[in-house]
Amino acid sequence: MKSMLLAAVAVVSLMSVAHAADAYKFALIPKGMDNPYFDLSRDGCQAEAKKLGNVTCIYKGPATHEPATEVQITQDFITQGIDGIAISVADADSVMKVIKQARDANIPVITFDADADKSARQAYVGTDNTEMGRELGRQLIKAHPKAGTFATQSGGPAAANLNDRLKGLYEVLKGAGWTEVKGSPAFCNDDSALAAQQLSDFATANPDIDAIIPIGGWALFAPKAYKSFVDSNMDKMKAGKLPLVMPDTLPVELQLLKDGYVSVLVGQRPYEMGEKAMDMLVALKKGEKVPVMNAVGLDVVTKDNVDKFLSAAK
């Protein structure tokens, strides 16, 4: 009986060791933790980790958009022996060395949301950003068929994903005869209050401008300031002379559309990015191959389908 008990204890111990050996801790690193867009990636990451059962999603990034801090946080995770890293790259050049450092330590690295395709990262999951820029342009032309003048706004000038969106936007708008105003694009560095102010500044400096079309939803995350900008131009918006085609479909943005402060939203799927990041890191950790490019889709939201998206967001 005693030998049987000892054998059972040994089996349980071995199973515990095996389970511990198969448990993974993965880091999800956003550009800035003050950006509510990344909260959805965090939620998807943590939900998928819980579903997998043997995975922990650690969500940590700079307090605000700061490439040097993002690099330092990544280095800290490497030092701690993290099992895998998914990073939304704020500055593609700044992460080259730290990603190689992680790979040299046999730590799987993927990018999500924003890529660094010349780095040693193994895969990317996120939006086809050039196509998102094109879709923003197509939706603007649909709302305002006659070519005119426009301004755009980006986050940081070194963000590859945002530069791809600008490329797609310019391809469609300039190809259709639209003209960009002086001072565009403006860069808000993911600062919502600054983003809202820049939209107002564009409208003030260009009273006859036909469109202001950011490639990120930063201004809408400061709804009071954004509403002030729209209220000052509401007559033009209602007359179709200043359609407001905006990116992303977070709850605050969906509500602004429902309330008449946005014409159209072109949304990414950050929750799905967080989910897929965990699945991809598990596969890589097990020595399996994953596709290098993993694009998630886009959603176009108008007043006709906004209620459906609001219901899903609750």
Side-chain angles (χ1 to χ4, degrees):
M1 178 67 71
K2 184 176 180 180
S3 61
M4 290 176 64
L5 180 60
L6 289 173
V9 170
V11 169
V12 171
S13 297
L14 287 170
M15 289 175 63
S16 297
V17 170
H19 178 75
D22 291 335
Y24 302 126
K25 290 184 178 179
F26 296 139
L28 189 78
I29 306 174
K31 293 180 186 177
M33 294 183 71
D34 60 341
N35 187 338
Y37 168 86
F38 289 112
D39 291 349
L40 296 181
S41 293
R42 173 203 64 201
D43 294 347
C45 171
Q46 293 179 347
E48 187 66 8
K50 184 177 180 180
K51 177 181 174 183
L52 291 168
N54 63 338
V55 173
T56 300
C57 170
I58 303 173
Y59 179 72
K60 184 178 180 181
T64 189
H65 185 282
E66 177 50 66
T69 304
E70 184 177 58
V71 170
Q72 184 58 57
I73 288 170
T74 307
Q75 288 176 328
D76 291 344
F77 276 123
I78 295 169
T79 301
Q80 294 163 18
I82 198 77
D83 291 304
I85 294 170
I87 180 170
S88 178
V89 178
D91 183 328
D93 290 334
S94 73
V95 299
M96 298 291 283
K97 290 183 179 179
V98 76
I99 290 179
K100 185 177 186 304
Q101 182 183 344
R103 294 297 303 120
D104 288 344
N106 203 31
I107 297 172
V109 179
I110 66 172
T111 53
F112 79 99
D113 171 68
D115 197 11
D117 61 347
K118 293 181 175 59
S119 72
R121 65 92 171 108
Q122 292 157 283
Y124 163 76
V125 57
T127 304
D128 180 335
N129 285 290
T130 304
E131 181 58 24
M132 182 175 181
R134 292 187 189 113
E135 187 60 36
L136 286 165
R138 287 192 287 261
Q139 291 298 323
L140 175 57
I141 290 173
K142 185 176 180 180
H144 193 297
K146 184 178 179 181
T149 57
F150 76 97
T152 187
Q153 175 189 68
S154 186
N161 65 324
L162 301 180
N163 290 334
D164 284 345
R165 282 184 217 168
L166 285 174
K167 177 183 174 183
L169 181 70
Y170 289 153
E171 177 187 314
V172 171
L173 290 188
K174 293 184 178 181
W178 285 72
T179 303
E180 190 173 14
V181 301
K182 185 178 179 180
S184 175
F187 296 97
C188 69
N189 291 314
D190 292 13
D191 184 318
S192 298
L194 176 60
Q197 183 60 52
Q198 287 175 341
L199 300 191
S200 294
D201 291 345
F202 274 133
T204 300
N206 305 273
D208 297 323
I209 197 167
D210 296 291
I212 302 174
I213 182 165
I215 57 165
W218 309 283
L220 284 73
F221 303 149
K224 185 176 180 180
Y226 175 76
K227 282 184 176 182
S228 178
F229 152 68
V230 179
D231 284 337
S232 299
N233 297 277
M234 186 62 81
D235 289 344
K236 291 178 67 178
M237 181 187 174
K238 287 184 175 179
K241 296 180 180 179
L242 188 69
L244 295 173
V245 178
M246 295 287 164
D248 297 326
T249 52
L250 275 68
V252 64
E253 297 173 296
L254 294 167
Q255 192 61 51
L256 285 166
L257 190 158
K258 185 174 176 62
D259 293 342
Y261 284 89
V262 176
S263 306
V264 181
L265 292 170
V266 177
Q268 304 178 82
R269 297 176 182 173
Y271 187 95
E272 187 177 339
M273 296 178 203
E275 286 181 312
K276 290 188 179 235
M278 294 299 96
D279 294 334
M280 291 164 62
L281 286 173
V282 168
L284 289 169
K285 193 67 180 176
K286 291 180 176 179
E288 301 170 6
K289 292 184 177 181
V290 300
V292 175
M293 300 303 293
N294 301 268
V296 298
L298 294 169
D299 296 306
V300 176
V301 185
T302 67
K303 63 181 181 180
D304 295 327
N305 63 350
V306 66
D307 286 334
K308 169 187 169 185
F309 281 84
L310 274 170
S311 296
K314 293 178 180 178

